[in-house]
Amino acid sequence: MRGTPGRYSQERAEESLDELSELAGSAGAQIVDRVLQSRAAPEAATLIGQGKVEEIAAAVRSGAADAVIFDHDLTPTQQRNLEKAIGSKVIDRTQLILDIFASRARTREGRLQVELAQLNYLLPRLAGRGVEMSRLGGGIGTRGPGETQLETDRRRIARRIKKIEQDLEGVRAGRALHRRRRSGVPLATLALAGYTNAGKSTLFNRLTQAGVLTDARMFATLDPTVRPLILPSRRRVLVSDTVGFIRNLPTTLVKAFRATLEEVKEAALVLHVVDVSSVSAAEHTAHVRKVLAEIGAAEIPQLLVLNKIDRVPENERDFEAIGSRLLRDAGGHGDARTIAVSGLTGAGFAGLLRTIDEILPADPLIQTTLRLPAGDGATLALLHEFGRVLEVRYEGDRCEVRAEIPESLKRRLNPRE
């Protein structure tokens, strides 16, 4: 259900309802009916007009629906009024997304993030939830009625929120430590970012053979995954797959998932994945760029990856023009780099790897000769892993190695140079 003010076009409202249907399906719901209302302004008490409330109540009774989902954030008062008038559970967009996230989070970090967002959502909705929330909490030795159950619940939730935030700070500290360790080895990180269901996980699997879950359902992948990738120049980089973005992503979720999104902020290059076959590709591109700016990642170099080209008709495959148009419409530079690929078939992947090699911040390959102790197998293994060993010669207790390696690795092995 969407209540649409007059400034929204019918087409955009229908598209938003389609997305809500996908979200509901991802949560395991079966859609019985959908209702659209256009209003000049929302009704303060119920968001939608009284006549539409009665219409929905009748539809719920006739269709035996268990819940009504609104494609709009509801205030606690609106939600209570609607549940009373309709006689059914009422869920808004934020609550639906939180439910999906709660069912998909697998790691401890992901579960903490979801719980934090859920508690922040629940806290202002405790008031007015009926007699059960106004039971007296006084006990032996108290004067007067004591505190209400509502106050007890609020305090309990506030304590839990504080504890989760402390735990997440520990997670962030752990991530920072991992990043520092990674920075000790010359490994750049690429972050895959994009609208949910743009094909990031399929792309990630083809790049790294990671075996990450790929699913047409929205938010199928929540917990970030990092895997190595070897580029044509023999440079080794790390690729991070992150949660998909979505328009009107609840503020509580953006805040709660800051630890996950930090992987994007720390990347050397963002691979912005777009489903080029989608009619909403321009809007999705603009939204992802907006979220990247909100989390402080706007200045990181980006490569626009036009995915799912296998779904585009042959006569419409001018991907250079499409990429320029998407970037212009999203407020970016029309001459920024774009590459067209298919995560499903592998088309365009050789060009993608070459382009990543070209765009990554300069860490040129250089030929160098190193003299090492004959027993220094660790350094020799490092040269094989991150570069190309051209020649090895042993002279007594010394080993002379000629290799082609990244300049950063040479600086690490010879810090005085």
Side-chain angles (χ1 to χ4, degrees), residues 104-119:
R104 303 285 167 79
R106 293 291 178 267
T107 64
R108 177 173 177 270
E109 174 195 357
R111 288 170 180 156
L112 284 173
Q113 291 168 333
V114 170
E115 185 181 356
L116 177 61
Q118 287 177 319
L119 291 175

mmCIF file of all heavy atoms in Angstrom, residues 104-119:
data_model
loop_
_atom_site.group_PDB
_atom_site.id
_atom_site.type_symbol
_atom_site.label_atom_id
_atom_site.label_comp_id
_atom_site.label_asym_id
_atom_site.label_seq_id
_atom_site.Cartn_x
_atom_site.Cartn_y
_atom_site.Cartn_z
ATOM 1 N N ARG A 104 18.279 -12.559 7.390
ATOM 2 C CA ARG A 104 19.420 -12.842 6.510
ATOM 3 C C ARG A 104 20.771 -12.725 7.197
ATOM 4 O O ARG A 104 21.761 -13.254 6.698
ATOM 5 C CB ARG A 104 19.399 -11.880 5.309
ATOM 6 C CG ARG A 104 18.113 -11.924 4.499
ATOM 7 C CD ARG A 104 18.054 -13.180 3.631
ATOM 8 N NE ARG A 104 16.717 -13.367 3.116
ATOM 9 C CZ ARG A 104 16.203 -12.711 2.088
ATOM 10 N NH1 ARG A 104 16.935 -11.816 1.459
ATOM 11 N NH2 ARG A 104 14.979 -12.948 1.688
ATOM 12 N N ALA A 105 20.844 -11.969 8.295
ATOM 13 C CA ALA A 105 22.147 -11.773 8.942
ATOM 14 C C ALA A 105 22.658 -13.104 9.491
ATOM 15 O O ALA A 105 21.912 -13.830 10.146
ATOM 16 C CB ALA A 105 22.033 -10.744 10.059
ATOM 17 N N ARG A 106 23.894 -13.416 9.228
ATOM 18 C CA ARG A 106 24.471 -14.690 9.651
ATOM 19 C C ARG A 106 25.601 -14.513 10.679
ATOM 20 O O ARG A 106 25.740 -15.300 11.596
ATOM 21 C CB ARG A 106 25.018 -15.449 8.429
ATOM 22 C CG ARG A 106 23.924 -15.897 7.469
ATOM 23 C CD ARG A 106 23.068 -16.992 8.076
ATOM 24 N NE ARG A 106 21.987 -17.395 7.191
ATOM 25 C CZ ARG A 106 20.772 -16.896 7.212
ATOM 26 N NH1 ARG A 106 20.465 -15.935 8.090
ATOM 27 N NH2 ARG A 106 19.840 -17.310 6.391
ATOM 28 N N THR A 107 26.414 -13.490 10.510
ATOM 29 C CA THR A 107 27.539 -13.305 11.420
ATOM 30 C C THR A 107 27.085 -12.581 12.679
ATOM 31 O O THR A 107 26.019 -11.970 12.729
ATOM 32 C CB THR A 107 28.657 -12.478 10.759
ATOM 33 O OG1 THR A 107 28.154 -11.157 10.489
ATOM 34 C CG2 THR A 107 29.111 -13.115 9.456
ATOM 35 N N ARG A 108 27.923 -12.640 13.698
ATOM 36 C CA ARG A 108 27.607 -11.940 14.950
ATOM 37 C C ARG A 108 27.482 -10.443 14.695
ATOM 38 O O ARG A 108 26.586 -9.777 15.232
ATOM 39 C CB ARG A 108 28.702 -12.197 15.988
ATOM 40 C CG ARG A 108 28.482 -11.458 17.296
ATOM 41 C CD ARG A 108 29.502 -11.880 18.345
ATOM 42 N NE ARG A 108 29.327 -11.126 19.579
ATOM 43 C CZ ARG A 108 29.929 -9.970 19.843
ATOM 44 N NH1 ARG A 108 30.769 -9.448 18.943
ATOM 45 N NH2 ARG A 108 29.726 -9.355 20.990
ATOM 46 N N GLU A 109 28.364 -9.911 13.869
ATOM 47 C CA GLU A 109 28.311 -8.479 13.560
ATOM 48 C C GLU A 109 26.986 -8.107 12.898
ATOM 49 O O GLU A 109 26.334 -7.139 13.271
ATOM 50 C CB GLU A 109 29.470 -8.092 12.638
ATOM 51 C CG GLU A 109 29.412 -6.661 12.156
ATOM 52 C CD GLU A 109 30.333 -6.401 10.986
ATOM 53 O OE1 GLU A 109 31.066 -7.324 10.593
ATOM 54 O OE2 GLU A 109 30.301 -5.281 10.461
ATOM 55 N N GLY A 110 26.592 -8.906 11.911
ATOM 56 C CA GLY A 110 25.344 -8.625 11.213
ATOM 57 C C GLY A 110 24.144 -8.668 12.139
ATOM 58 O O GLY A 110 23.247 -7.821 12.064
ATOM 59 N N ARG A 111 24.129 -9.641 13.037
ATOM 60 C CA ARG A 111 22.998 -9.748 13.965
ATOM 61 C C ARG A 111 22.968 -8.578 14.937
ATOM 62 O O ARG A 111 21.900 -8.073 15.295
ATOM 63 C CB ARG A 111 23.096 -11.070 14.730
ATOM 64 C CG ARG A 111 22.776 -12.285 13.861
ATOM 65 C CD ARG A 111 23.118 -13.570 14.560
ATOM 66 N NE ARG A 111 22.801 -14.724 13.712
ATOM 67 C CZ ARG A 111 23.376 -15.905 13.818
ATOM 68 N NH1 ARG A 111 24.311 -16.094 14.720
ATOM 69 N NH2 ARG A 111 23.033 -16.888 13.020
ATOM 70 N N LEU A 112 24.137 -8.150 15.398
ATOM 71 C CA LEU A 112 24.185 -6.986 16.280
ATOM 72 C C LEU A 112 23.670 -5.745 15.572
ATOM 73 O O LEU A 112 22.912 -4.945 16.142
ATOM 74 C CB LEU A 112 25.621 -6.748 16.759
ATOM 75 C CG LEU A 112 26.162 -7.675 17.849
ATOM 76 C CD1 LEU A 112 27.646 -7.403 18.075
ATOM 77 C CD2 LEU A 112 25.380 -7.500 19.144
ATOM 78 N N GLN A 113 24.064 -5.572 14.314
ATOM 79 C CA GLN A 113 23.633 -4.405 13.549
ATOM 80 C C GLN A 113 22.116 -4.392 13.374
ATOM 81 O O GLN A 113 21.464 -3.353 13.507
ATOM 82 C CB GLN A 113 24.331 -4.399 12.189
ATOM 83 C CG GLN A 113 25.818 -4.117 12.288
ATOM 84 C CD GLN A 113 26.547 -4.395 10.988
ATOM 85 O OE1 GLN A 113 26.111 -5.229 10.194
ATOM 86 N NE2 GLN A 113 27.643 -3.722 10.766
ATOM 87 N N VAL A 114 21.568 -5.552 13.059
ATOM 88 C CA VAL A 114 20.121 -5.642 12.869
ATOM 89 C C VAL A 114 19.392 -5.373 14.182
ATOM 90 O O VAL A 114 18.406 -4.628 14.222
ATOM 91 C CB VAL A 114 19.729 -7.025 12.312
ATOM 92 C CG1 VAL A 114 18.213 -7.194 12.343
ATOM 93 C CG2 VAL A 114 20.228 -7.181 10.888
ATOM 94 N N GLU A 115 19.871 -5.976 15.271
ATOM 95 C CA GLU A 115 19.200 -5.772 16.554
ATOM 96 C C GLU A 115 19.224 -4.305 16.965
ATOM 97 O O GLU A 115 18.238 -3.768 17.487
ATOM 98 C CB GLU A 115 19.846 -6.639 17.632
ATOM 99 C CG GLU A 115 19.098 -6.560 18.961
ATOM 100 C CD GLU A 115 19.735 -7.396 20.069
ATOM 101 O OE1 GLU A 115 20.721 -8.109 19.782
ATOM 102 O OE2 GLU A 115 19.240 -7.317 21.210
ATOM 103 N N LEU A 116 20.349 -3.638 16.720
ATOM 104 C CA LEU A 116 20.445 -2.219 17.050
ATOM 105 C C LEU A 116 19.410 -1.414 16.279
ATOM 106 O O LEU A 116 18.716 -0.555 16.836
ATOM 107 C CB LEU A 116 21.858 -1.711 16.744
ATOM 108 C CG LEU A 116 22.097 -0.217 16.979
ATOM 109 C CD1 LEU A 116 21.858 0.147 18.440
ATOM 110 C CD2 LEU A 116 23.511 0.177 16.547
ATOM 111 N N ALA A 117 19.285 -1.687 14.986
ATOM 112 C CA ALA A 117 18.305 -0.974 14.176
ATOM 113 C C ALA A 117 16.880 -1.265 14.635
ATOM 114 O O ALA A 117 16.025 -0.371 14.683
ATOM 115 C CB ALA A 117 18.472 -1.352 12.705
ATOM 116 N N GLN A 118 16.606 -2.511 14.990
ATOM 117 C CA GLN A 118 15.260 -2.875 15.446
ATOM 118 C C GLN A 118 14.908 -2.178 16.757
ATOM 119 O O GLN A 118 13.789 -1.698 16.936
ATOM 120 C CB GLN A 118 15.161 -4.395 15.618
ATOM 121 C CG GLN A 118 15.109 -5.157 14.304
ATOM 122 C CD GLN A 118 15.087 -6.659 14.526
ATOM 123 O OE1 GLN A 118 15.796 -7.178 15.375
ATOM 124 N NE2 GLN A 118 14.278 -7.364 13.742
ATOM 125 N N LEU A 119 15.859 -2.116 17.682
ATOM 126 C CA LEU A 119 15.588 -1.472 18.969
ATOM 127 C C LEU A 119 15.381 0.028 18.803
ATOM 128 O O LEU A 119 14.519 0.621 19.459
ATOM 129 C CB LEU A 119 16.731 -1.748 19.943
ATOM 130 C CG LEU A 119 16.856 -3.195 20.423
ATOM 131 C CD1 LEU A 119 18.098 -3.366 21.290
ATOM 132 C CD2 LEU A 119 15.614 -3.621 21.194
#
